[in-house]
Amino acid sequence: PLYSSAASDVYKRQVSMQELEISPELTTVLTDYYQQFLKTDSQLLQQMQVQHQLSEQLEQRTESVSSLGEEIQEIAEAITGKIDLTLTRQIQSLRPPVAEQPDTSALIDNYSAVERSSYSLMLNVLRISMLSQQIRETQNQDLLLSIRENDIREQESMLRNAILVIKQHLQNYPDLMLQADLLQQQIDSFIHLVVDDDNSVYQLRIRQIEAYEQSQIVQQQGLDILEILMPVSYTHLRAHETPEHL
């Protein structure tokens, strides 16, 4: 595809050489080079198609990460809102001083812990989403590995600790525990989408970089063949040209 003009030129020269009755040995050599060039050109087209497919998959995965991150934020906010509502209703149902009521005191402590952990969780999700965008823009595989094993794993650890704290403080609230279980499931899916799945943002980016590097190798092979093929065919054509060819 990138060499179509050059390939056409070489082919025309090959036909001209046959018409000029160039030696069969030279024609065979040039034909071999031409076939190698066509093979390289076909490989380059395949690599370009692979890169295009990977780009589309990476775009879809990134959108899924963003969407799931928003869902996690909403669930965390819902848990905080529900425990806040429960606390408000329980306080309103008790006579003062409410601070001395053991049930209310425990609920206040639970609410504070859940609120802090929920905000921490939402912040960690946001940071991982930003890191997934950074993965898409990174060109170096060593840097990609560092982002995954250092930055993302650190945020993942804090994320899982936050959901653990939330669940510990919601043991006596079955309806909120269901929300917390859903939150944990969504977090697991979120991490898989970013780094752990075979088609995660991380893995797709790795394959994208490898495909690009391979296409550069194939492209250079095609250029190397052209550097040999075109001067040789041109020189021999010139040597056999007559006025009628000019």
Side-chain angles (χ1 to χ4, degrees):
L2 295 182
Y3 310 116
S4 56
S5 177
S8 176
D9 186 39
V10 170
Y11 177 74
K12 290 177 182 178
R13 292 179 183 180
Q14 179 188 0
V15 172
S16 296
M17 293 182 71
Q18 292 172 346
E19 293 174 350
L20 293 171
E21 298 182 354
I22 304 301
S23 65
E25 293 81 6
L26 180 58
T27 301
T28 299
V29 170
L30 291 176
T31 299
D32 288 343
Y33 274 120
Y34 180 66
Q35 293 300 323
Q36 291 178 36
F37 180 82
L38 291 180
K39 180 180 179 181
T40 301
D41 198 49
S42 177
Q43 290 175 345
L44 184 58
L45 176 59
Q46 293 175 4
Q47 288 297 326
M48 293 173 65
Q49 292 172 338
V50 167
Q51 289 184 68
H52 178 69
Q53 292 171 357
L54 288 172
S55 294
E56 288 187 336
Q57 289 179 317
L58 191 55
E59 181 68 27
Q60 293 172 358
R61 280 292 177 174
T62 303
E63 290 177 359
S64 297
V65 167
S66 177
S67 177
L68 189 54
E70 292 176 0
E71 290 181 22
I72 291 173
Q73 302 272 4
E74 291 174 359
I75 296 173
E77 290 174 353
I79 290 175
T80 303
K82 286 182 178 180
I83 197 171
D84 183 31
L85 180 61
T86 302
L87 175 63
T88 301
R89 287 175 175 173
Q90 187 162 340
I91 289 176
Q92 291 175 345
S93 68
L94 296 173
R95 296 178 180 179
V98 295
E100 296 179 4
Q101 299 288 340
D103 292 342
T104 304
S105 178
L107 186 58
I108 292 174
D109 290 341
N110 285 345
Y111 172 75
S112 298
V114 170
E115 183 181 43
R116 288 193 303 270
S117 296
S118 294
Y119 288 146
S120 174
L121 182 149
M122 288 186 282
L123 182 60
N124 295 140
V125 167
L126 180 60
R127 286 173 176 168
I128 292 177
S129 295
M130 294 173 64
L131 287 168
S132 72
Q133 290 290 343
Q134 187 176 342
I135 286 175
R136 290 189 61 185
E137 300 169 0
T138 300
Q139 304 292 331
N140 183 279
Q141 291 196 39
D142 291 336
L143 183 55
L144 279 175
L145 183 61
S146 176
I147 292 174
R148 184 187 71 175
E149 295 303 321
N150 297 324
D151 301 332
I152 290 181
R153 293 307 184 194
E154 179 183 2
Q155 296 299 322
E156 179 189 0
S157 177
M158 291 188 288
L159 191 59
R160 296 196 181 283
N161 182 66
I163 187 62
L164 181 63
V165 171
I166 290 173
K167 295 184 75 172
Q168 286 176 341
H169 286 85
L170 296 179
Q171 294 292 333
N172 297 325
Y173 308 96
D175 56 331
L176 292 178
M177 275 297 293
L178 290 176
Q179 288 284 81
D181 289 338
L182 176 60
L183 184 61
Q184 186 166 20
Q185 292 172 12
Q186 296 293 68
I187 288 172
D188 290 340
S189 298
F190 182 73
I191 296 299
H192 273 78
L193 278 174
V194 177
V195 291
D196 287 340
D197 191 77
D198 289 340
N199 289 316
S200 65
V201 172
Y202 174 83
Q203 293 294 343
L204 287 172
R205 183 56 181 155
I206 288 289
R207 295 205 291 272
Q208 195 177 44
I209 291 175
E210 291 174 345
Y212 173 77
E213 292 174 347
Q214 183 61 34
S215 71
Q216 292 298 104
I217 293 174
V218 173
Q219 185 174 7
Q220 187 58 52
Q221 289 173 346
L223 293 173
D224 291 342
I225 293 173
L226 280 179
E227 287 181 2
I228 297 172
L229 187 58
M230 296 188 70
V232 172
S233 61
Y234 180 78
T235 300
H236 283 78
L237 277 176
R238 293 289 295 183
H240 290 81
E241 278 179 345
T242 64
E244 65 182 14
H245 295 120
L246 298 177

